[in-house]
């Protein structure tokens, strides 16, 4: 079992930045592929970014060049640095840990981009 707790969401103006954190506990964090998903009102949950246990990252086209995913295995934490935020980035952001068929989710963190 892995427990995931997100933090760092909030309200930001367009063009601003936020950093989300996801602290993991309960298992060996370093072996999991970690990811960030988001879900906007009335829309399906979508993949934002992933990072493998080896540190390889991939991004959705909509956030490439603006968002950066990283992990600190010593702190059991994965981050999502979000720059140049747009109103369409408004969503609840979820942290995910995956290993084979095991799949764990955090409770979500609200990000609102509005002037």
């Amino acid at each position: 079992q892995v427990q995931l707790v997100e933090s760092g969401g909030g309200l930001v103006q367009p063009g601003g930045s936020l950093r989300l954190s996801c602290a993991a506990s309960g298992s060996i964090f370093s072996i999991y592929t970690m990811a960030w998903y988001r879900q906007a009102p009335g829309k399906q949950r979508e993949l934002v970014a992933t990072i493998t246990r080896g540190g390889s990252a991939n991004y959705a086209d909509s956030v490439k060049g603006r968002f950066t995913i990283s992990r600190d295995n010593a702190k059991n934490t994965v981050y999502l640095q979000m720059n140049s935020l747009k109103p369409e980035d408004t969503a609840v952001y979820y942290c995910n840990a995956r290993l084979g068929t095991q799949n764990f989710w955090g409770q979500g963190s609200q990000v609102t981009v509005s002037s």
Side-chain angles (χ1 to χ4, degrees), residues 47-67:
L47 180 62
V48 175
T50 62
I51 186 165
T52 68
R53 56 185 179 181
S56 296
N58 282 286
Y59 301 92
D61 287 344
S62 59
V63 307
K64 278 181 183 176
R66 300 189 298 122
F67 290 11

Side-chain angles (χ1 to χ4, degrees), residues 18-99:
L18 280 176
R19 188 176 81 156
L20 301 179
S21 299
C22 173
S25 62
S27 188
I28 305 173
F29 173 80
S30 62
I31 67 175
Y32 287 83
T33 292
M34 301 300 296
W36 288 96
Y37 287 74
R38 68 185 180 186
Q39 187 167 19
K43 295 188 176 181
Q44 289 190 330
R45 190 172 297 189
E46 64 173 354
L47 180 62
V48 175
T50 62
I51 186 165
T52 68
R53 56 185 179 181
S56 296
N58 282 286
Y59 301 92
D61 287 344
S62 59
V63 307
K64 278 181 183 176
R66 300 189 298 122
F67 290 11
T68 302
I69 189 171
S70 61
R71 65 191 297 163
D72 185 336
N73 290 336
K75 294 183 178 180
N76 287 358
T77 302
V78 62
Y79 305 97
L80 186 68
Q81 178 66 43
M82 304 183 291
N83 298 328
S84 302
L85 283 160
K86 305 175 181 180
E88 50 264 43
D89 295 317
T90 296
V92 177
Y93 284 71
Y94 296 91
C95 179
N96 171 266
R98 187 176 74 249
L99 178 66

